[in-house]
Amino acid sequence: MKKALLIFSFALLTSSFSFAQEQGDSRVHGFGTYGLKSRYWGVGVGIEYFFVDKFALMPSYTRFNPEVGNFNNFSMDLRYYLTEGPSQVYVMAGYSQSFQNTQPGTVGTKRNYVGANMGVGAYIRLTDWVGLISEFKFQSQFYQEGSFKLGLAFPL
């Protein structure tokens, strides 16, 4: 019962917020992602902040699940929204750094990869307090692969 009351209260509080891309707006993202070349899947979180109208910065952290070892990614993306309204399309470019450990507990197996990101995506408003986010991103580092992201975004 407490959980249902908390969810209802959160929905009521956030229902008055706008989903426009105006300066000062922000969204919290939770997503799943899949690498098309490496075939790694992962989960991640991020926060999107509109520093001017139609432009947003989105730092995000993703933890992938390779068959052996650990693989994490940090990205800082700049997004420009081409459309407004319930369906918002954007283009993005940014910086990415990946951390890989192919054999945990063994010396000399940690690697860091730095590169650039570029891609396209869409935000689709489902209700006043949640939206669907989808994105296709290409990363220039190590694997040089495309990845597909699907998740939910919540306005703050």
Side-chain angles (χ1 to χ4, degrees):
M1 181 65 179
K2 286 183 182 180
K3 193 174 191 180
L5 185 58
L6 181 64
I7 291 171
F8 177 74
S9 298
F10 180 74
L12 186 63
L13 286 172
T14 59
S15 65
S16 63
F17 291 115
S18 169
F19 276 84
Q21 311 103 337
E22 296 176 358
Q23 182 177 356
D25 289 348
S26 58
R27 300 177 184 145
V28 173
H29 294 247
F31 54 86
T33 187
Y34 181 74
L36 300 176
K37 187 175 181 182
S38 67
R39 299 185 187 219
Y40 294 160
W41 61 272
V43 294
V45 295
I47 186 160
E48 180 178 26
Y49 176 73
F50 290 89
F51 61 96
V52 293
D53 293 352
K54 295 189 176 187
F55 282 94
L57 283 176
M58 169 118 175
S60 64
Y61 174 79
T62 307
R63 180 165 178 86
F64 290 93
N65 295 309
E67 292 179 18
V68 177
N70 302 319
F71 188 58
N72 304 302
N73 179 270
F74 172 77
S75 292
M76 175 66 82
D77 300 325
L78 174 66
R79 295 178 170 186
Y80 175 71
Y81 281 82
L82 303 170
T83 62
E84 295 184 20
S87 179
Q88 302 168 5
V89 176
Y90 62 87
V91 293
M92 52 84 59
Y95 165 83
S96 183
Q97 184 166 5
S98 294
F99 309 94
Q100 184 179 29
N101 188 349
T102 56
Q103 296 177 356
T106 305
V107 178
T109 59
K110 295 181 182 179
R111 297 181 187 138
N112 292 328
Y113 305 103
V114 177
N117 299 330
M118 56 190 288
V120 297
Y123 170 83
I124 301 167
R125 183 175 62 188
L126 299 175
T127 67
D128 285 342
W129 60 276
V130 67
L132 178 69
I133 193 88
S134 64
E135 180 178 283
F136 179 77
K137 180 191 296 190
F138 176 78
Q139 294 184 334
S140 68
Q141 63 198 17
F142 183 57
Y143 288 116
Q144 297 180 352
E145 74 172 333
S147 63
F148 184 73
K149 180 187 333 184
L150 187 64
L152 297 175
F154 305 92
L156 295 178

